[in-house]
Each structure stands twice: as structure tokens, then as C-alpha cells.
Amino acid sequence: MTSTGTDPLLEVLRGGLTVYDLGRPLYIGMPQSPNHPAFWHTLPRRHGDRVRPDGGSAANDMLVMGTHVGTHIDALAHVSHDGRLFGGADAEQACQDGRYPEHGVHTIEPMVRRGVLLDVPRALGEEHCAAGYEITPADLDRTVRAQGTPVGAGDVALIRSGWGRLFDDPDRTRYIGHDSGVPGVGEAGARWLADRGVHAAGADTIAFECLPAGQGHGVLPAHRVLLVESGIYIIETLALEEVAAAGVHEFAFVLSPLPLLGATGSPVRPLAVVGRA
Amino acid sequence: MTSTGTDPLLEVLRGGLTVYDLGRPLYIGMPQSPNHPAFWHTLPRRHGDRVRPDGGSAANDMLVMGTHVGTHIDALAHVSHDGRLFGGADAEQACQDGRYPEHGVHTIEPMVRRGVLLDVPRALGEEHCAAGYEITPADLDRTVRAQGTPVGAGDVALIRSGWGRLFDDPDRTRYIGHDSGVPGVGEAGARWLADRGVHAAGADTIAFECLPAGQGHGVLPAHRVLLVESGIYIIETLALEEVAAAGVHEFAFVLSPLPLLGATGSPVRPLAVVGRA
Amino acid sequence: MTSTGTDPLLEVLRGGLTVYDLGRPLYIGMPQSPNHPAFWHTLPRRHGDRVRPDGGSAANDMLVMGTHVGTHIDALAHVSHDGRLFGGADAEQACQDGRYPEHGVHTIEPMVRRGVLLDVPRALGEEHCAAGYEITPADLDRTVRAQGTPVGAGDVALIRSGWGRLFDDPDRTRYIGHDSGVPGVGEAGARWLADRGVHAAGADTIAFECLPAGQGHGVLPAHRVLLVESGIYIIETLALEEVAAAGVHEFAFVLSPLPLLGATGSPVRPLAVVGRA
Amino acid sequence: MTSTGTDPLLEVLRGGLTVYDLGRPLYIGMPQSPNHPAFWHTLPRRHGDRVRPDGGSAANDMLVMGTHVGTHIDALAHVSHDGRLFGGADAEQACQDGRYPEHGVHTIEPMVRRGVLLDVPRALGEEHCAAGYEITPADLDRTVRAQGTPVGAGDVALIRSGWGRLFDDPDRTRYIGHDSGVPGVGEAGARWLADRGVHAAGADTIAFECLPAGQGHGVLPAHRVLLVESGIYIIETLALEEVAAAGVHEFAFVLSPLPLLGATGSPVRPLAVVGRA
């Protein structure tokens, strides 16, 4: 190892890290909301299509996608309520020439912050939360106590419901859960998070919050509380099974959204990083 | 601060970090190679288009882009030579049903590694390298010595040429530099990097390597040496001006490519992170 | 009317025409095969986004779509059998730099030809063919006789099954018909068409030919017979209800595919035109 | 020939037709306005990618494009003036859930109408109009007289400037003509067309109307007169050289826009058809 510096971070790096990948693979046909442009990937050029005189050849890609597909972060510009964005700006006026300059995803600073995994079903003594189950403030309190990991101002709180096990289900509709409902926090759980001053909140589901069976995305009170009332970013479709299985509940959370000028969200591949004690 | 753990990484986090953003903003009209599908962003839905009965409204996005636009990483599947990918696989056969299962960008593990900025023009006593200038092994040696930052196995080496200052030039063709040429390492500089066993190498230019004036991307020997012969990833269009201006030459380098199944590259927003000593 | 020429076509035009629109509207969420990139439409710029000093403003669009969505035509390059395209060309070699120069959709000449609607259920005394019903040569013969409209060399034959009534069904899966099957000709019906030397053949279904219940697009013998063995274009997802209801079985058929260089198909809006006798 | 009917149109068809293709091929890199999403075409699936058990294989496409690229038609929803669309509707309010229900391109009926080619340079005794030349009402009158083809109510008038010869110029910027200017009618010529009650007007240039050198699309008075004040559709980037070379000035004009629900335009491949006298 060649580092000569005295940066304590580099020292920790030298000691070795474990990096948990919290992002889902992006592929054609993966579960996603029909409200957003479908993920599609194709190769305009493959190897052999054009070979340079020296024998070199390059293959390349074309992507088409919404920004709220796969593992992604919601910018504050994503949701408004009664015509207002977070901070009170008029939501219609906030759109300038086809983008949101003020609360667009480019305004989200890359995050290197304390992250806490709230493994709710584990604290409740279950494998996973039931479909449509609303995770309550009492559940969150119990989880924090069971784990010994309080959630504080500036932290990123990731709520595991166990629903993520359905992401790769051959029946693509199961993870979306329109008919069954999807577990998650409701308005009260969102307030619990806001009261603690978290910087961002995430979950292993497609819409972050509790969806009652058969009701789709008709009303999203947790989005309102977090994005519109509190200025707290939401991270969706997280892969939390591996970090949960490892029993890791506290870590350095790293998330670096694409700086898409004026967009309402970005696909991301967040990381949970721990050093060796 | 609420952390109760004994993880040394969380301790460093508590002490405070500085995070340098090495990604360029993505916007319509930014400089990009005409070889790749143009970046385009549009809002299918804006606030006010559909307001739910409770007053909620969501805006969303559609992205179209190549994966080698903006700040991005090249997967090993991107380049072949004489019909072979890194490791010897037949490049045409490697494409399975329209994607590259073996060396696709989804196979790049997220990076949290020692990073070294090689501020070449500073070491050479210049503002920036001249257009078309080939950065030599001697220049790299001199930079390492001047900075006191050797480059070692597993590190990520970022080579600053100073060309990044042109990214926002109103003349979009300047950064691309077809007529002028672009500075960067050539085949010899690439071997210098491969000899040190770097994990990835990056630059503040659109094609990483030296482009002689007027010759475009006809021959890319550094890509061949790194991607095909050495299995070393390449990161392009980095924003290195800020970290260079701060005089920071060694850091924790964080890069988390989108896990695009079978793609040849991914847009990224890498970070250089330093703790407080 | 200002025409002064002696062109008999212009004379007919002066006498008045009836134009039947055989194209389906293209909209987000319409029934389409999941094998093809989903149709998406969005407005990058709306009125008011940028107003010129003189008060002018322009709105514009972005389209993303496969070419085999909505009403569309299959080029000969679309299908191969045992590695060969129509005429015997090697199907893999036929792809040059990411497109099909030889049998691509740009090689389809615009059509202004005699068209014949074969209203099969009407001739059979039914409202519509049953799901999964294979239309036989005997059915086609009977239809031709009942209508008094023989099908000859160079004609375009449009086969109505009645399935088109499901295109706008709120259950988007009905028209696709994976579980139910879809009516249409099979291999024998395709040979009937090929034996008559038609220039193109169309239907009011998503895959032109008979799909048995539950089997999807696993085997498509009519595509093989027409596209690969006979060089006959296929037109799918036609809107035939209006022209059938009018009892019009013979007309000038007009189809002008987009000249997409090297593509395998094109969205189209074909017309059936009749003059006043 | 198998037709048995007495439709005079079918009789003309039997006599033989000549079809002139007025559409430009669509390919990556063709000249287009940077205001609109770039045309891109790629093959997600090629022959050989997936071969069915019976030996069948299908290749398919993905298209990304604006609707105002290549040969295309402008819907009335494309342009507003002082906040109003044709007929007086509020242009901002006219956008409903991301599309234009009222004046969208889906409201343009397919056209089978008398078309007149106004070959202006030929009437003026020139090869082609000079860059930036404004075609005047006097020029149009002179052309009509020289050709003996008056323009009347309901006709489609196609104005040849000769600029179309530059579409395939290796220098892609020439056809766009930002620096040079582009010939075409101005406000007065547009009024001449509107006074005659044409149904649609087209030209062989990218913006239909005269663009003075160096001024781009800053002010487009002919668009205002035709689209906003008169409800007359505009067709751009037409290929008029072949029909002009044949000396054909009057024909059946056929244009069938894609019924893109709520879009502001559509790519088209119009035809000029003549019978044999």
C-alpha cells in the first residue's frame, strides 16, 4: 500500500473495508412503475461492426429510462402539494424551460453520511412485514432499541420491510404489489423520521411508503411529509437483504446521484461501507 | 451525533469529511462524442398535469443517452482488439442476446479505494497541458515525485491535464477538440499505469488519452493497453479542477457505476473524499 | 376546383374520394408486444417555456418506440429462418454496422395498389373469429367468393378477423391475447396468400397470424412463409372495423413507410381509398 | 388484374400510376435542428441473438427522435402566438396531462388532395434560389403563371427553392444554413398561401420559411401566419428534386401522419401520384 498521508480516512481504508451494494441491477423487464418510462437498453454498436485499421473495435449503448426506475432517489422537485414545492415555491412556476432549476436532482449533494438500517421485521421477530402492513412509530422505536442504533439529525435511515425478496420474482407484478399492497411507513412513520431530522430515508420497496391493497399510488402521505413538508430525500427500490443478513445496522452511507440538470430524480447505486474495528 | 459503534470509519465520519465532486452536470447540449446517442432529458409529467384528490402532484423524467456521455466509466466490454476482449474471449461471441454478460459494466464492483490525483501541468510548472500534448512516463514520474504520492497496485489514478476547463466553453467543439487535439497519456503512459497495477485510471478529457490534432478517435492505443491488455477501467470527462485547486492529491476515491446489465459503460458521479487529520 | 390538367387521377380526385384510416392511434399504454421497446411520447418543450421576443412559442416532442408497435409494417429484414433472409442472404452477415442495408424498411417502395379486404367472419356468418381460430384456405376461398373480390398478383390482402375490436379494451392484455390465443391465418393460409402473389398482407391483430392459446410467439410459420420464403411484407395491428362496416372490400391501398435506413419495420398509417362511381 | 369493381379510382390504378417519393431517408447524423431530440436508431435484437427451436429469428429496432426531424408535418399545436393557438385557445391550458388533445397531430386527417409544386427557381430562370432569398408573392404569381397551375382552396402547395440539393451535403451544417441563411417565403408569401385557402404548405427546407443569414429561428412569421392565424399545416424537409426534374407540377398529394396522440408533429413520407392520361 502506497499511501503516505496522515488522513485518518486513508488509514481506515488501509485497514480494510466491507462495501455492501444497495443497488438493484437494471435490466429490461425488471419490475417498475408503469407511471415512468420503461427501462430499455440496446447496443447501437457491437464488436465487429466497425473495426479500425489497427484491429480496435468499440461497442456502445443506448439507454432509455425514467429516473424513478430501479434503485433511485427522489429530488424535492418530484412531489408538490396544493401547488407548492418544499419551501413554498409555486410548483408550476418552478418549471423553467422544461426543468426544475431549484429543487432538481442536481441540487442533491453527494452523501457520505452515517446510515442506519432499521430492520423492522427482525425487531418484530418476523421474516418480513406482511403485504400492506403499515410500519408504525412504535415499530420504529422498537427497532432502534433492539438494534441499539438511534437515528439522529443528518443521518440516512433505511427501512427494511423484507419486501425486497420479491424483486426478482418471476411474476413481475408481485414486487409492484398493486393487488396485494406493499408494507412501509405511513404518514405517522414519516413524521417519526422527520422529527429525527434525517437527511434522507429509504426502503426496499418501489414506493417507499405503505400501499394498502388495491389502491395503487392514489395518495402518498409519506412522500408529502418527507419531500414537501420536510425537505427529506426518499430512496426507493433498495437492495437491503445482504446488509441485513450480515447484521450490519450502522455504516457509512454513500450515495452519489447523477447531476441531471433539473430532473426530478436519478438512478443510483448506494453503498453501505464499514471499516474493520 | 448518534453513532454508538466502534467502527473506525464511523469515527472518521464523526470527525468530518470533505467531499469533492468529480462528476460533470448532465444537460442537453453538453459536449459529447457524436459516436454515442445524445443526452436528452424531458419531463413527461410536470406539476399540475395530474393532481390527486388530496392535492398531491408528481413530476417525472425521461432520459435518453449513451453510456459514454458525461462523466462515465468504460467497462472492459467496451473495447476489443483483433477480435478479443480482455482475457481472450471472442468479442463477437461475447455478446449474448444483445448484452455483454461477462465484461459488462454490471461486473464493475463499486469502488472505495485510494485515489491519487496526478496534477501533471502543476508538476510541469504550467497552467495546463497544450492541445494534443502527449503526457509521457517521465511526466508521470515527475508528478508523483513532486506530489509525494506514489501510485500503487489497486489504486485509482486520475490524470489532470487541465483540459477540463473547456467543458463549459460556449463553443461546444472545443472540449471535444477534434481539430486542436487533446492532451493525455499515450501508449507509453498507459503502460506506466498498467505497470503499477492501478485498478482504474481517469482523466479530465472526453477520450482519456492523447488525441493528435485532426485525427479524432481513429486509433486509441491507451484504451487497448488498459481495457484489453490489462483489465483496467477508464474514467472519462472527470471534473478535476476543484480538487486540484485545493491541492488534494490523495483521497478515498468512491465510484459506484449503475449496474446496467450487460452494458459497456455507465454514467457516474465519482467522489474524492478526505478526512480531517 | 383549380386543376387544369388531364390526369385521370386528378379527375377522380375532383369527383370526390372516401378515405378510410386503417391506422391505430399511438399512445402511451396502448397494447403492444413486450418484445419491442415501449411507445413513449413526451413534450420536452411546451408553450410558454420559451417565448420569443415577438410573442411566438413552439412546443415539441420526443418519441421513443420500437418499429413493431402500433400499426406497422414488417420489412423482409425482420425475420430469418435457419440463418437466412429472403433471397438466401446470411442473416447475421446482413447486418452492416448496426443496420440492414439490403432488406431494411427503407427498401419498401411506397404502395398505391389495389387492396382487398377479406372480411372472413362476415363470410362465415359470424361477428368475429374466435380466439385462437386458424383461418383456413377454405375460409379465404369462401370469403373471396362471397365478396366477389378475387385476390391477385401485386394486390394487398387485408384479413379481418374481428379481433381489432379488443384494441381499446381497458384490459390491455386482451388484444395481445397470450392466454386466450388470437385468430389468424396459419401456415396454410400464408401459402394461399403467397400462391396468389400478393405484394403485402395485413391483419387486425398484433402478430398477423394465428396464435394458439398460451403459446405466445414461439413459432410463427406464416411469418416464415411470407417474409422469408416469399418476400411478402406483413402489416399488423390494422384498424379494419370501419372499412368493414362500410362493406368496402376493394380499394386503392396506400401505405408509405418511414424510410428508416436499415430498420426492420416502420410504424405506418395506411389508407383505403375509394372514388365515387 | 383482378379488380371487378366500377370504382373510377381503381380504373385509374389499372391504367398505371407514377409515384414520386417526397420523403427524405431517416438516418443517424442526417441534418436536423438542434432544437429537437436527435434521430437515433438501434437494433436491440439482431438475427442470431435468439433463435427459436424451429430455426426462426427476429431482429427489431428502437427509435428515438423528435417529431420535427426528417420530412415531417407541423400540427397546429406546434406554434402559438401571444399565448394563443389557432382558434384562440390558451396555449398553456391547451396542454392536458402532457399532450395537446385539441390541435395535436392526431387531429390531422390523412390527405389525398390535389397538390401543386411551385418550382420557383425554374420559373425565375435559375437553378435554385440563393441562400437567404425571400420568395415573394410576385415570385409565386409568376410561378403559377409559368406552370399553368393555379393554387386553390383545399390544395397542398409545395414550394421548391432548390435548397434540398444540400440535404446530403457532407457538411451537415449547410442544409441547416444557420450562417448562410435559407431561402423561402416570408410573411408576405405565407399570406399569399393563406389567401388562396390552401390546406397545407410545404417546402424543401428545414424550417419552411426564409431564414436570413445568421439569425436562426429567432422569428418565424410564416409559421405564425399559417399555423396560428390560418390553421394551415406546414410540411418541412421535403424531397422535391425528383418530381421537379420530371416537370410534374400537379398531382394527387398523399400524406398520412402518424396518429401520435397529442403530439405537435409527425415524421411523414408524402407522395405525389400521377396517373397516365
Side-chain angles (χ1 to χ4, degrees), chain B residues 85-134:
Chain B
L85 294 177
F86 173 69
D90 181 286
E92 295 195 30
Q93 299 299 320
C95 185
Q96 299 283 326
D97 198 16
R99 52 195 59 84
Y100 293 96
E102 197 182 344
H103 286 313
V105 77
H106 64 287
T107 64
I108 304 181
E109 294 293 320
M111 299 177 198
V112 186
R113 289 172 172 271
R114 179 174 179 259
V116 176
L117 174 73
L118 296 171
D119 191 343
V120 174
R122 181 169 170 160
L124 301 185
E126 296 165 10
E127 282 284 310
H128 48 78
C129 297
Y133 177 74
E134 180 174 337

Side-chain angles (χ1 to χ4, degrees), chain C residues 1-10 12-14 17 19 21 23-28 35-39 41-50 52-68 71 76-83 85 91-92 95 97-100 105-106 108-116 148-153 155 217-221 224 250-271 273-277, chain D residues 1-10 12-14 17 19 21 23-28 35-39 41-50 52-68 71 76-83 85 91-92 95 97-100 105-106 108-116 148-153 155 217-221 224 250-271 273-277:
Chain C
M1 188 71 180
T2 55
S3 174
T4 59
T6 58
D7 180 341
L9 179 59
L10 288 171
V12 173
L13 208 57
R14 272 191 292 270
L17 300 171
V19 177
D21 182 354
R24 296 281 180 196
L26 290 151
Y27 57 92
I28 298 169
N35 291 337
H36 300 289
F39 176 84
H41 167 244
T42 158
L43 301 171
R45 195 170 298 160
R46 301 182 184 187
H47 291 294
D49 281 356
R50 285 194 199 174
R52 299 196 192 91
D54 75 332
S57 158
N60 67 12
D61 309 280
M62 181 162 203
L63 293 182
V64 171
M65 61 191 298
T67 57
H68 301 269
T71 307
L76 301 185
H78 179 42
V79 170
S80 67
H81 199 78
D82 290 341
L85 294 177
E92 295 196 29
C95 185
D97 198 15
R99 54 195 58 85
Y100 293 97
V105 77
H106 64 288
I108 304 182
E109 293 293 320
M111 298 177 199
V112 185
R113 288 173 174 270
R114 180 176 178 256
V116 175
T149 54
V151 171
D155 290 350
H217 298 189
V219 182
L220 297 173
R224 187 191 73 235
E250 194 180 12
F251 38 78
F253 177 80
V254 181
L255 181 148
S256 195
L258 296 179
L260 301 156
L261 206 67
T264 69
S266 171
V268 291
R269 188 184 194 178
L271 308 175
V273 188
V274 292
R276 284 179 201 147
Chain D
M1 187 72 182
T2 55
S3 174
T4 59
T6 59
D7 180 341
L9 179 59
L10 287 171
V12 172
L13 207 58
R14 271 192 292 272
L17 299 171
V19 177
D21 182 354
R24 295 281 181 196
L26 290 152
Y27 58 92
I28 299 169
N35 291 338
H36 301 289
F39 176 84
H41 166 245
T42 156
L43 301 171
R45 194 171 298 160
R46 302 183 184 187
H47 290 294
D49 282 356
R50 285 194 200 176
R52 298 195 192 93
D54 75 332
S57 157
N60 67 11
D61 308 280
M62 182 162 202
L63 293 182
V64 171
M65 61 191 298
T67 58
H68 301 270
T71 307
L76 301 184
H78 179 43
V79 170
S80 67
H81 199 78
D82 290 342
L85 294 178
E92 295 196 29
C95 185
D97 198 15
R99 53 194 59 84
Y100 293 97
V105 77
H106 64 288
I108 303 182
E109 293 294 321
M111 299 176 197
V112 185
R113 289 173 173 270
R114 178 175 179 259
V116 176
T149 54
V151 171
D155 290 350
H217 299 188
V219 183
L220 297 173
R224 187 191 74 236
E250 194 179 11
F251 38 78
F253 178 79
V254 181
L255 180 148
S256 194
L258 296 179
L260 301 157
L261 206 68
T264 69
S266 171
V268 291
R269 188 185 193 177
L271 308 176
V273 188
V274 291
R276 285 181 199 144

